[in-house]
Amino acid sequence: MTFDWTAAWDALPQLLDGLVVALWATVLGYVLALVLGLAFALLRRTERAWLRLPVGFVVEFIRSTPLLVQLFFLFFVLPAVGIELSPLATGAIGLGVHYATYTSEVYRAGIDGVPAGQWEAAKSLSLSRGRTWTRVVLPQAVPRVVPALGNYAIAMFKDTPQLTVVTVAEVLSVVKAVGAQNFRYLELITVAGVLYLAAALLIAWPVRALERRYRKETA
């Protein structure tokens, strides 16, 4: 089979549109993962068992089940109880909630890395629990874990092809749709792979920059 450059070029605009959708799903899901992951991490440290235990169960349950199953649940089960989401919203929420369970562990590691003396100093100054977290602990914990959080952005983007099961029109969905018409899967998969690689490298660049900056600051 010879490589048909014309077929690859003709499919490029549609594949680029799919890439934009994949990037949108990644951005929306990543923001949700960062916010929800922090909430999970804080709730799992609360002294209130009625909050800590259920949140811990939810985090472990989500982390221990496949993303694909969770996407099916959001898209096919929730409408049965009256909750209907668009494909893109389903994909973004699915990615965000799934990865929030991982970012929560990253936040936990950062919080555990704050020296005990900082907690004791805040207590000696009679700071409230809220001010201790917002003024002392989190400003020290979050910068420590920024590189690790950035790596999850790359991992999340590479999981966007799974969104094809909930009809999100990302790159793989475009490959399947266009391939069903012209049967030029070699060209479509090749171009899709190049686009995924280019986008992943683009996302990885600021992550690597943050890693280098953090290493310099801690050296």
Side-chain angles (χ1 to χ4, degrees), residues 31-62:
V31 171
L32 178 59
L34 292 180
V35 175
L36 190 58
L38 180 59
F40 284 158
L42 296 179
L43 288 173
R44 296 190 74 177
R45 295 181 65 91
T46 183
E47 297 177 355
R48 299 180 177 87
W50 61 273
L51 272 177
R52 184 179 67 253
L53 296 179
V55 170
F57 172 79
V58 169
V59 168
E60 294 302 324
F61 178 82
I62 294 174

Side-chain angles (χ1 to χ4, degrees), residues 61-137:
F61 178 82
I62 294 174
R63 190 168 54 185
S64 301
T65 54
L67 172 61
L68 199 60
V69 174
Q70 296 162 18
L71 291 172
F72 271 109
F73 177 84
L74 291 173
F75 195 69
F76 295 107
V77 177
L78 288 187
V81 295
I83 302 176
E84 295 188 12
L85 302 170
S86 68
L88 181 59
T90 300
I93 292 173
L95 288 171
V97 173
H98 185 79
Y99 275 90
T101 62
Y102 294 99
T103 59
S104 68
E105 290 301 300
V106 175
Y107 284 124
R108 181 190 60 78
I111 293 170
D112 289 344
V114 176
Q118 298 294 312
W119 296 88
E120 295 170 0
K123 186 176 181 180
S124 66
L125 292 172
S126 301
L127 294 181
S128 66
R129 187 173 181 83
R131 288 176 67 85
T132 298
W133 278 105
T134 58
R135 298 298 180 86
V136 179
V137 178

Side-chain angles (χ1 to χ4, degrees), residues 6-23:
T6 301
W9 181 257
D10 290 343
L12 184 59
Q14 292 172 274
L15 291 170
L16 287 173
D17 288 341
L19 181 63
V20 171
V21 173
L23 290 172

